[in-house]
Amino acid sequence: QVQLVQSGAEVKKPGASVKVSCKSSDHTFNSYWMHWVRQAPGQGLEWMGIINPSGDTTMYAQKFQGRVTMTRDTSTSTVYMEMSSLRSEDTAVYYCARGLATRPNYDYFDPWGQGTLVTVSS
Amino acid sequence: QSVLTQPPSVSGAPGQRVTISCTGSSSNIGAGYDVHWYQQLPGTAPKLLIYGNTNRPSGVPDRFSGSKSGTSGSLAITGLQAEDEANYYCQSFDIRLNNWVFGGGTYLTAL
């Protein structure tokens, strides 16, 4: 059973940056596109972006463009999501998820990481 | 405001059948993109429940079923159990936004 294990909770001040990691237990990890999704407290799920298997192609939701960078280390089966210029509204649980699809853009997400709480507070 | 619209809450008595709707538009579900469903128990990560409109991953009880018609998808749960109390989210792709999108979520209460 594939597992995605994320890094621990973070507390950051407004204006700072945070980098969240997501490591796979599966040797086939490097064959899959990986997504990031966030969930603010008491709110729904929000798609943030995607990175391809080799790590050289990314696509971000418009609201995160310029502030989010997704990278990948294929040697350690780990993906990263870095967000800069943090503000209080970025307080949320951040999830990584493997994308599975029968054809482009038909992705569904399975499995998900356990989530990483990022708290932005002065 | 979510691109896909779900009712905020639904409820049913144990043993009953409940349905959760997911309404999209011509740029997502109506454009032919699949609807997928996730269950999120309190304090946990979402879990895939239905993929490709109607398919259940192994381990998901056959009490859960999905369907799609036009610009909407639907999740049905039969033989409702107390353990089904959770948030349920639909998900698809939007060609206008060039984004994957979620519904706002529906909280299911087993009365």
Side-chain angles (χ1 to χ4, degrees):
Chain A
Q1 183 114 0
V2 177
Q3 279 194 314
L4 300 175
V5 179
Q6 298 184 219
S7 48
E10 303 263 11
V11 179
K12 296 291 183 181
K13 293 194 182 307
S17 297
V18 69
K19 191 170 186 176
V20 179
S21 68
C22 166
K23 183 176 174 61
S24 173
S25 62
D26 184 24
H27 67 282
T28 66
F29 170 82
N30 294 332
S31 302
Y32 295 96
W33 292 71
M34 293 294 294
H35 297 255
W36 288 89
V37 176
R38 78 175 184 180
Q39 184 172 37
Q43 302 301 308
L45 302 171
E46 181 177 30
W47 181 81
M48 299 180 65
I50 186 174
I51 185 166
N52 73 333
S54 58
D56 58 4
T57 299
T58 53
M59 184 172 77
Y60 306 123
Q62 186 170 10
K63 75 178 286 185
F64 299 111
Q65 283 177 8
R67 231 169 36 101
V68 165
T69 303
M70 295 177 186
T71 55
R72 188 165 194 154
D73 185 342
T74 55
S75 68
T76 60
S77 298
T78 304
V79 291
Y80 300 91
M81 188 284 300
E82 183 170 21
M83 181 178 284
S84 61
S85 304
L86 289 167
R87 30 200 189 238
S88 58
E89 311 89 87
D90 296 318
T91 294
V93 176
Y94 291 75
Y95 294 102
C96 62
R98 183 178 64 171
L100 296 173
T102 54
R103 41 186 164 155
N105 300 335
Y106 282 70
D107 296 49
Y108 53 96
F109 309 133
D110 184 56
W112 297 58
Q114 85 277 18
T116 297
L117 175 61
V118 175
T119 302
V120 183
S121 174
S122 54
Chain B
Q1 186 137 353
S2 301
V3 172
L4 305 179
T5 301
Q6 298 179 234
S9 63
V10 297
S11 62
Q16 280 191 330
R17 179 180 186 270
V18 296
T19 61
I20 299 173
S21 60
C22 174
T23 303
S25 68
S26 58
S27 63
N28 42 69
I29 300 173
Y33 293 104
D34 287 345
V35 181
H36 318 292
W37 292 91
Y38 303 87
Q39 179 191 59
Q40 186 176 33
L41 298 169
T44 70
K47 169 194 162 186
L48 179 67
L49 201 61
I50 298 287
Y51 67 95
N53 305 314
T54 61
N55 302 292
R56 276 188 315 276
S58 65
V60 173
D62 59 6
R63 301 186 296 105
F64 295 89
S65 63
S67 63
K68 174 189 167 184
S69 178
T71 58
S72 295
S74 184
L75 174 70
I77 308 169
T78 58
L80 191 63
Q81 299 179 5
E83 67 200 48
D84 299 332
E85 279 206 346
N87 273 302
Y88 293 84
Y89 293 91
C90 62
Q91 174 248 314
S92 187
F93 182 83
D94 190 285
I95 191 65
R96 182 177 59 84
L97 297 172
N98 202 29
N99 268 178
W100 283 266
V101 291
F102 289 94
T106 299
Y107 189 76
L108 169 61
T109 302
L111 299 170

